[in-house]
Amino acid sequence: MPRLSARQARRIALASQGLAARRPAGPAKRRDLRKLALRLGAIQIDSVNVLARAHYLPAFSRLGVYPPALLEDEAWGKRPSLFEYWGHAASLMPLALQPLLRWRMTRTRAMREGHWGKFSRERHDYIGRVLAEVERRGPVTGGDFADGPRKRGWWNWSHGKHALEWLFAAGLIATKTRRGFERVYDLTERVIPRAVLEQPTPDEADAHRALLMIAARAMGVATEGDLRDYFRMPVTETRACLADLVAAGELQLVEVEGWRQSAYLAADAKASRALAACALLSPFDSLIWRRERTERLFGARIRLEIYTPAHKREHGYYVLPFLLGESIAARVDLKADRQARRLLVQAAHLEPGADRAAVVPCLAGELLRLADWLNLDEVVIVKKGNLAAALLRELG
């Protein structure tokens, strides 16, 4: 079995994620955004808005400054190239993937156990009435079907919101747009272009193989668990599909230095010779979706601390790893103070072994670019963390 060094695997991963090359010289254009979405396969959506919604950040990390309205137009405009569905959690994905995910919609409709199965059995007639109402009324939100006080948390959704989410998971309705962060639903045939809906539904095994190859190309080199996690694929089917892809020569089994499990290398994956990365990564960036893979690649233990009690947080609330070259070199806890038009660096930590002299000017420059992109006037450093004082001096 061929063997890769840890450094080769890391460089392959970064190149596959679009984090090795230099950014466009000017503002990124529509074609850059579409090309990136095809490369990544899925861009995770998340509601936390302490800095910026998670789905806006991956393009900034890879392309630099671009108009956020451009992503909105690609997702919810008149001629979208992306659609919303369950990929890796809630995700924006290229429309070409819609037929590949119909098996998931079919499974939702057939489900009889678990939360959705119980709900669909007990509320079958009600779900049908909600669907008929969407057909009659056009675009709707969960609030249009509220049947009691609206409470926080998905477990306290109204029956109407539950029905809409079941219909969304079942592929019968889709996200037409968003108001703030609230989904606006309509019938799938009024959201997804006809040319996409008329494409044949692939056999489930074929769809699984195609999704696994999209994941493999987006990661470059990955274990079975890594590949399965990218689109949250079923275990048994994944193993069979990976064996087929190896037999077909689309994936190659390899050993990676320091990895306990064998890995799969995409046939066209290449390690970048020159790494120009200088990027702040969203906590929901696809490079670091699977935390154990992040540890294997970078030796960095990344954890989402949003739901950790404040006194137990190690690096802060909304922490962005800073990628420099091929290393995660620092972490910064960021907040956009929109009223005062300030980017707050609430904590800044240098990673063990990172070169402070190299990190500080690059990180300071990236913070200034981020502030400018978010239409904020200044970067304010709070003196917390072992990198804060140096950043403060660099930014004056």
Side-chain angles (χ1 to χ4, degrees), residues 2-10 221 254-261 263 295-297:
R3 182 175 175 82
L4 298 177
S5 70
R7 190 179 191 194
Q8 285 175 312
R10 187 163 54 247
V221 59
V254 297
E255 291 182 352
V256 180
E257 176 190 0
W259 293 22
R260 287 187 288 182
Q261 294 178 311
E295 290 186 39
R296 280 185 263 120
L297 285 171

Side-chain angles (χ1 to χ4, degrees), residues 119-171:
F119 181 77
S120 64
R121 280 188 287 105
E122 295 179 353
R123 300 279 175 173
H124 180 268
D125 291 343
Y126 177 71
I127 291 171
R129 292 197 299 272
V130 170
L131 179 60
E133 191 67 7
V134 175
E135 182 177 9
R136 184 184 72 82
R137 293 171 60 174
V140 299
T141 69
D144 294 323
F145 294 89
D147 49 12
R150 299 185 72 186
K151 302 176 182 179
R152 297 181 64 186
W154 68 267
W155 55 90
N156 284 323
W157 282 349
S158 68
H159 292 315
K161 175 64 174 174
H162 264 99
L164 288 168
E165 283 296 309
W166 185 91
L167 290 165
F168 173 75

Side-chain angles (χ1 to χ4, degrees), residues 43-57 76 84 86 88-91 152-154 157 161 178-183 282-284 304 306-307 317-318 338:
I43 299 169
Q44 187 173 347
I45 301 171
D46 190 79
S47 63
V48 177
N49 198 27
V50 66
L51 178 68
R53 303 282 190 202
H55 45 287
Y56 295 103
L57 287 166
W76 306 295
E84 267 194 55
W86 297 107
H88 181 93
S91 303
R152 297 181 64 186
W154 68 267
W157 282 349
K161 175 64 174 174
R178 282 183 178 260
R179 294 175 188 158
F181 193 71
E182 187 175 30
R183 277 189 181 131
S282 159
F284 302 96
L304 186 63
I306 292 172
Y307 307 110
Y317 178 74
Y318 199 75
R338 297 175 181 88

